[in-house]
Amino acid sequence: MSTGSWLFLVFFVKIYLVVHGWGPVGHSIIVRLAQSQLSTEGSKWVDPLIPWHWQRNLSAMASWADDILYSDANPTGYGNWQWSRPLHYINVPDWNCEYKPERDCVNEVCVAGAIRNYTKRLETEWDEIQQKEALYFLIHFTGDIHQPLHTGFVSDRGGNSVKGHYMGGSYLTNLHSLWDSGLLTTRLRRDFHSNTSLYYDYIHKLMLEQTPGKDDNNIDVWIQNNVKVVCSQIYVDEYNNTMNASANFTLGEIYYNRSISVIEQRLAEGGRRLGVILNQLASKRPQKPSDKNNKLGAGTIALIVVLAVECLLAIVVGIILWVRYKKRSASPVSYSLTSPKI
């Protein structure tokens, strides 16, 4: 099994499901697509920010922003990251079908604001830890915003409260979970033998077939496109009835066939757009993150100077003492031959 397949499998078999964003497979695909597009300059900037044990595989960090929120993945520190939960999504009024930033993303506390914030941070030279944190948040939130239910309705928390049965299953699932991972799992199992590397190749081909548009850098347009899909398709069942939290849904082949192409186009768009963002950041940055780490602070330089002067003085003193010792050793010793008086 290739390294890429193994890493994808690690994510796929996680025993917990995240509340926000694509499932681990979807997030990994988007980041892997983005990394495949990196310029030489982009790779030189990004590679040092990837933990060494992932062997320059940025997709291994694709779900970090989810992992830090849960006790099973981050048992000692998950409480410190709860502030980041609202940054994974945007809630719009039910059936309003229009995104208004001043209403839906107050003080930039939403996924769109988070993408803008961390992009701006990465344009400036920070220390390595801050760089890594900003990068890991950015790659995840860019994935999140391409999952349409991240601009879902306020009342049902982006489809999390709309529950029902899928493909004749006996257990209850919810609409958000279906769009995170349920529909993707069906696709992988049926058509790709659950091989995530084969599926990545397919989505990569889709990405290459897409035509970049003028709105690729316009986050608000991405969101408005999500809202259109949410209102026109996601909440409509196989009998054209509107789904809500008051009754359980029953979804199967018709809903799957209608939805999977939307999901795959969004995965491809997410990877393509994230790649563009990272390359743009790399070209704007004045220096690599590691350059700052290699620089010595003023205090360190002063200490080195003091130590160097002390060493020099010690050497000079040592030489002086050695010369004196040599001179003293070279002086003739006189002996008195006069016999003592009795």
Side-chain angles (χ1 to χ4, degrees):
M1 182 180 292
S2 67
T3 301
S5 299
W6 183 84
L7 290 173
F8 267 37
L9 184 60
V10 168
F11 284 117
F12 190 71
V13 299
K14 283 186 176 180
I15 61 172
Y16 64 93
L17 293 177
V18 297
V19 174
H20 302 296
W22 299 106
V25 171
H27 274 295
S28 296
I29 287 174
I30 287 175
V31 177
R32 189 175 172 188
L33 289 171
Q35 193 170 13
S36 74
Q37 303 172 81
L38 289 183
S39 62
T40 301
E41 187 178 25
S43 294
K44 286 182 179 179
W45 166 55
V46 168
D47 286 354
L49 298 176
I50 304 171
W52 66 268
H53 54 278
W54 290 122
Q55 299 178 341
R56 295 184 293 182
N57 185 355
L58 185 60
S59 69
M61 301 305 297
S63 292
W64 174 85
D66 278 334
D67 295 342
I68 58 176
L69 296 173
Y70 298 93
S71 59
D72 51 0
N74 185 23
T76 61
Y78 73 97
N80 297 327
W81 295 98
Q82 298 307 305
W83 58 267
S84 67
R85 279 184 176 271
L87 304 182
H88 288 253
Y89 58 89
I90 292 171
N91 284 330
V92 298
D94 295 15
W95 299 105
N96 183 273
C97 302
E98 183 180 3
Y99 169 60
K100 294 183 178 180
E102 67 278 6
R103 178 196 64 196
D104 305 325
C105 189
V106 179
N107 297 323
E108 293 279 84
V109 182
C110 72
V111 65
I115 292 173
R116 283 189 284 265
N117 172 46
Y118 288 110
T119 299
K120 186 176 181 179
R121 289 191 185 192
L122 287 168
E123 290 174 352
T124 309
E125 187 64 33
W126 290 72
D127 66 34
E128 185 177 355
I129 293 176
Q130 292 169 321
Q131 285 286 327
K132 288 180 177 179
E133 180 180 306
L135 177 63
Y136 303 160
F137 273 132
L138 176 62
I139 63 176
H140 184 87
F141 293 149
T142 303
D144 277 348
I145 207 170
H146 284 85
Q147 206 274 52
L149 277 176
H150 274 259
T151 50
F153 298 153
V154 172
S155 66
D156 60 32
R157 301 177 299 121
N160 276 288
S161 300
V162 182
K163 299 180 180 181
H165 299 276
Y166 171 63
M167 291 293 185
S170 59
Y171 62 91
L172 279 178
T173 185
N174 65 70
L175 204 55
H176 192 105
S177 180
L178 277 183
W179 280 76
D180 272 355
S181 56
L183 297 166
L184 273 175
T185 300
T186 300
R187 176 72 155 141
L188 277 163
R189 186 181 65 248
R190 285 185 175 181
D191 302 315
F192 295 91
H193 309 288
S194 296
N195 187 318
T196 50
S197 285
L198 288 178
Y199 190 56
Y200 165 79
D201 291 339
Y202 172 76
I203 301 298
H204 185 265
K205 182 180 178 182
L206 285 183
M207 181 188 72
L208 295 178
E209 292 172 351
Q210 290 181 343
T211 302
K214 62 180 181 179
D215 296 323
D216 275 350
N217 289 319
N218 191 330
I219 300 174
D220 290 347
V221 172
W222 303 353
I223 297 169
Q224 189 57 49
N225 290 338
N226 280 352
V227 173
K228 288 179 181 178
V229 174
V230 168
C231 287
S232 65
Q233 179 172 337
I234 292 181
Y235 282 86
V236 180
D237 70 10
E238 300 181 355
Y239 305 99
N240 292 323
N241 297 318
T242 300
M243 294 181 282
N244 56 58
S246 65
N248 290 343
F249 59 71
T250 300
L251 300 175
E253 294 293 341
I254 295 175
Y255 191 85
Y256 165 78
N257 290 327
R258 191 178 73 198
S259 303
I260 193 63
S261 61
V262 176
I263 289 175
E264 292 177 338
Q265 288 297 325
R266 290 304 170 90
L267 290 173
E269 285 177 345
R272 177 170 56 80
R273 289 167 174 167
L274 177 58
V276 170
I277 291 172
L278 295 179
N279 280 330
Q280 289 176 343
L281 283 169
S283 65
K284 290 178 181 179
R285 294 174 60 77
Q287 56 185 21
K288 294 185 294 185
S290 58
D291 290 347
K292 184 174 181 179
N293 296 334
N294 292 334
K295 291 181 179 180
L296 298 176
T300 304
I301 294 174
L303 179 61
I304 291 174
V305 170
V306 170
L307 291 174
V309 171
E310 289 180 351
C311 288
L312 182 61
L313 289 174
I315 292 172
V316 171
V317 171
I319 292 173
I320 292 173
L321 292 176
W322 181 78
V323 170
R324 288 183 177 179
Y325 171 77
K326 282 295 184 180
K327 287 182 177 180
R328 188 174 298 174
S329 298
S331 298
V333 179
S334 59
Y335 297 95
S336 177
L337 297 178
T338 304
S339 299
K341 294 181 180 181
I342 298 177

